[in-house]
Amino acid sequence: MSTRRTAEWHPSNDHIPRCVGSAFWWMIVLGFMLFFITPVLWLFQAPLKSDQQLVHEFWLNPGSWNALVTSWSNLMAYQDGIIWRWIGNSILYAGIAMIFAVITCLFAGYALAVMKFRGRKLILMITMIVMMMPNAVLVLPLYLEAKMLGTAGTPLSVILPLAMYPFGVNLVFIYYSTNLPRSILDSARIDGCTEWQVFRKIALPLGKPSIALVSFFSFTTSWNNYFLPFVMLPSTKSYPVTVGLNNLLTSTPAFNPTVGASGLSIFRPELALATVLAVVPVLVLFLFNQRALVAGMMAGANKE
């Protein structure tokens, strides 16, 4: 007779392996959270410390307001506070490009979603292809075109390319294709409305969530664009804040040792403070439009 005992199954037998699996899963999640949150926390805490504290002290040690005042003073003294000019240029370029992008995307997306005409599929395919191309690919042809038109070196050389926004055209096309009942449009036409009146009185009011989406994504895309204004604009005073931050980076001794003896007071805290200032406008835009943005993103999930 065998003395070996057969283990009986019981729900509590799986308790320990389940706890180990859960703990392992939470460790992975926390590891990813720390990996992505740490740079953000460091960015907002860096202006509260001196450059030496950033290098030699633990990054979670609290800073001081005096260090923030010093960083602010040094940043404002850099080329007479040119950081505000860079931020103003970004608002100007991104704002005007956003207005043009919303107008063109609304008309193009609505026409592609509602109307049937020759070449419609080809236009859709072209917008998809352009949307998937990296931004840097078209910068050189755009520069040659701007030089031929005489706009190179002016704000128009940056604004006009950014106003063409294929991703927005596809957003509006998908929104109207999935959320605009054709029966409403047909009823309006039967009642005597022209195509312009159908668009203005029915499609435009119903398309407000898509307008919010295109506005936000167009503005942030234009705001974050670096290579196009870097190539197009020759003057430091006409730079947007993305190119200006690169100018600050090259003026920081920690990243460019050749400027160590130039007497400039731009160090890592001043660079972090400038980056925080560059983020604020986009953050404010998101906070004021988050309800419309969520409505626009959820609208695509609705069925007619």
Side-chain angles (χ1 to χ4, degrees), residues 58 191 219 269 284:
F58 182 56
D191 290 340
F219 187 87
V284 170

Side-chain angles (χ1 to χ4, degrees), residues 101-102 104-106 108-109 112 123-133 135 138 160-174 214 217-218 221:
V102 169
T104 56
C105 291
L106 265 180
L112 290 168
I123 295 174
L124 272 174
M125 190 179 299
I126 291 174
T127 57
M128 290 289 290
I129 293 172
V130 176
M131 189 177 68
M132 291 184 290
M133 293 172 66
N135 293 329
L138 295 176
L160 288 178
L162 293 175
M164 301 298 108
Y165 192 49
F167 180 64
V169 174
N170 277 276
L171 273 180
V172 177
F173 165 72
I174 294 172
V214 174
F217 286 120
S218 169
T221 301

Side-chain angles (χ1 to χ4, degrees), residues 73-248:
S73 301
N74 292 337
L75 181 62
M76 293 303 113
Y78 182 78
Q79 296 188 17
D80 297 327
I82 198 170
I83 181 70
W84 294 118
R85 190 181 184 95
W86 292 337
I87 293 176
N89 289 337
S90 285
I91 293 174
L92 178 70
Y93 303 156
I96 296 177
M98 179 192 71
I99 294 171
F100 280 108
V102 169
I103 294 173
T104 56
C105 291
L106 265 180
F107 283 116
Y110 173 77
L112 290 168
V114 174
M115 300 178 180
K116 306 294 181 185
F117 54 90
R118 186 176 296 178
R120 174 174 169 272
K121 290 185 179 179
L122 178 63
I123 295 174
L124 272 174
M125 190 179 299
I126 291 174
T127 57
M128 290 289 290
I129 293 172
V130 176
M131 189 177 68
M132 291 184 290
M133 293 172 66
N135 293 329
V137 171
L138 295 176
V139 168
L140 181 57
L142 286 171
Y143 174 76
L144 295 175
E145 186 181 19
K147 196 171 182 181
M148 184 180 67
L149 296 174
T151 59
T154 67
L156 276 179
S157 61
V158 176
I159 294 171
L160 288 178
L162 293 175
M164 301 298 108
Y165 192 49
F167 180 64
V169 174
N170 277 276
L171 273 180
V172 177
F173 165 72
I174 294 172
Y175 180 84
Y176 279 133
S177 298
T178 56
N179 291 278
L180 184 62
R182 299 294 181 274
S183 56
I184 297 180
L185 303 181
D186 294 337
S187 300
R189 292 186 185 109
I190 293 171
D191 290 340
C193 288
T194 62
E195 287 299 327
W196 168 246
Q197 289 173 327
V198 171
F199 173 78
R200 186 171 61 85
K201 295 183 178 179
I202 297 176
L204 191 59
L206 293 176
K208 286 180 181 177
S210 68
I211 295 174
L213 277 180
V214 174
S215 303
F216 179 76
F217 286 120
S218 169
F219 187 87
T220 52
T221 301
S222 302
W223 185 275
N224 294 325
N225 197 300
Y226 168 79
F227 199 46
L228 179 67
F230 179 74
V231 172
M232 293 288 188
L233 302 174
S235 170
T236 307
K237 292 183 178 179
S238 59
Y239 283 169
V241 71
T242 48
V243 186
L245 285 178
N246 181 61
N247 211 18
L248 274 179

